[in-house]
Amino acid sequence: NSVALESTGGWGSFDYGAANIRWHVVSAGTGIYASSNRGVTYLNIGTSQSQDYQFYERSKPYLIITSNTQNAVLYWGGSVGTFVQRVAVNSAPAAKYARDFQGFLFLMNSDTRKRGMYYADNNTFLTDAWTNSFDLPSSFDDEITGSIILYKKMYVFTRYKTFRISYVGGNPDFGYQEVKDWGAVPGTISKVTIPEFGEVIICLSWDKTLKLFDGSEDEIISDPFYQNNNMCPVAFSLINTQAINKSRAETDTNEQVYKLEVAMGSSTQTTHMICYNYRIGAFYPYDNSPFNTLAMTESGNSRLLLAVDRSGRVHILDSGNRDITVAVDDYYESSLHYGGTPDAIVKSQKMNLYFFPTSSGTLYFQDRANFSNVFGAARETIS
């Protein structure tokens, strides 16, 4: 379920619908590639990008491409045989992020103004003078790290703060308001629908916590999975602080799971995936997950989660519990709770597990007691 793009790996991906065709667009190495058959074959549509994280946005019929190293902003119309081109060559700022909002294309965090918000009419941005702009108020060392639209507002995140952007009209066109004193890690900002609460923003904060944010109130939801309990190799507290900016996430709408790639321990690259099932509120980890970028892709009335690893291969995730015909064991952790001395306490615990109708195999469980670091023998429970 994979195909080689380049040996240097993937830096960004996006599901782009252009006219009557859909493309899986991938930045890999210095090139940009597009597949109209969801990863079977790819066309080269760009050749000169830096080998660093890339970000995608759609504005009108165009795909907008920005980069972490603030290359020139590019656009692509989605036609076979055409290549990416520069947006407003003599005027558009070299920015890290783009967002289409209220009829305007925003370019944010330029090479000269890290808190700069530039905007142009999304009907004319290809030739606009790009003279409209403002800066978000924060400390000199702060910078914009991403944005997302929730209902009719745009929320822009920096390293230290969260701002709400509203369309005002006239002069100025937009107003902003600081709403939170925390920021989000680039590439981890998404939306999920929580039962009884509706659609909310989910993101990884720089303090290694996972937050839900409804536009006014926020809640930390990662506490049950935060501390290292020495039983599982994955925990939010174990994320490498020096590589937290390498984290990337995507919402798997098939499984209703927010999937977060993180670098564990001393690793400087992503190693594991922390999964949050927002339907039931459960956390669980994946091992051996060296992906730089993920995207939900559509084709033929179906959706698949595609991920690109650092060897330049595109993988279909969650298409089965096998990795190149080898069975993959699913691993579930039941946290240890007790209300007294472990020697004396009588402990019972209940776990609810959900399986697809096509699941097969054997369920085993292991336990340990009295602060032991060694699990007992695996015991078969259900076949």
Side-chain angles (χ1 to χ4, degrees), residues 167-242:
Y167 179 70
V168 179
N171 188 16
D173 294 298
F174 294 91
Y176 56 82
Q177 178 184 3
E178 180 184 332
V179 291
K180 291 296 172 182
D181 60 355
W182 51 264
V185 176
T188 69
I189 307 161
S190 187
K191 285 187 288 190
V192 298
T193 301
I194 304 295
E196 300 180 3
F197 290 97
E199 191 173 61
V200 295
I201 297 170
I202 185 171
C203 62
L204 178 67
S205 185
W206 295 91
D207 59 0
K208 304 182 187 179
T209 60
L210 195 63
K211 287 184 167 67
L212 292 180
F213 176 52
D214 66 2
S216 58
E217 301 297 328
D218 65 274
E219 179 182 358
I220 296 174
I221 59 172
S222 52
D223 283 351
F225 208 72
Y226 185 81
Q227 296 294 345
N228 176 20
N229 64 3
N230 297 312
M231 298 170 69
C232 178
V234 182
F236 281 95
S237 64
L238 297 178
I239 297 174
N240 184 357
T241 303
Q242 304 305 313

Side-chain angles (χ1 to χ4, degrees), residues 139-168:
S139 57
F140 176 77
D141 62 336
D142 200 4
E143 66 174 299
I144 293 172
T145 58
S147 68
I148 198 166
I149 296 172
L150 183 65
Y151 302 114
K152 294 183 179 181
K153 308 295 183 182
M154 177 166 66
Y155 292 88
V156 178
F157 299 87
T158 71
R159 290 183 63 91
Y160 308 136
K161 297 181 179 183
T162 301
F163 294 87
R164 181 189 297 122
I165 310 297
S166 304
Y167 179 70
V168 179

Side-chain angles (χ1 to χ4, degrees), residues 274-289:
I274 298 177
C275 301
Y276 170 61
N277 186 317
Y278 51 87
R279 179 174 57 86
I280 60 175
F283 283 99
Y284 56 92
Y286 285 170
D287 292 336
N288 186 29
S289 192

Side-chain angles (χ1 to χ4, degrees), residues 56-57 64 66 96-100 105-108 147:
Y56 294 88
E57 172 67 345
I64 310 299
T66 58
K96 283 190 180 183
Y97 311 105
R99 181 66 63 192
D100 189 274
L105 176 64
F106 276 81
L107 296 178
M108 298 168 277
S147 68

Side-chain angles (χ1 to χ4, degrees), residues 90-120:
N90 297 317
S91 56
K96 283 190 180 183
Y97 311 105
R99 181 66 63 192
D100 189 274
F101 176 60
Q102 293 287 9
F104 294 86
L105 176 64
F106 276 81
L107 296 178
M108 298 168 277
N109 190 341
S110 73
D111 53 349
T112 58
R113 293 163 60 185
K114 292 187 177 301
R115 289 174 284 109
M117 301 274 295
Y118 306 80
Y119 61 96

Side-chain angles (χ1 to χ4, degrees), residues 236-264:
F236 281 95
S237 64
L238 297 178
I239 297 174
N240 184 357
T241 303
Q242 304 305 313
I244 192 172
N245 62 313
K246 304 289 183 66
S247 303
R248 289 295 180 272
E250 180 64 289
T251 299
D252 187 335
T253 53
N254 286 340
E255 297 190 352
Q256 300 179 62
V257 175
Y258 172 80
K259 298 187 172 180
L260 175 67
E261 287 285 311
V262 292
M264 283 288 146

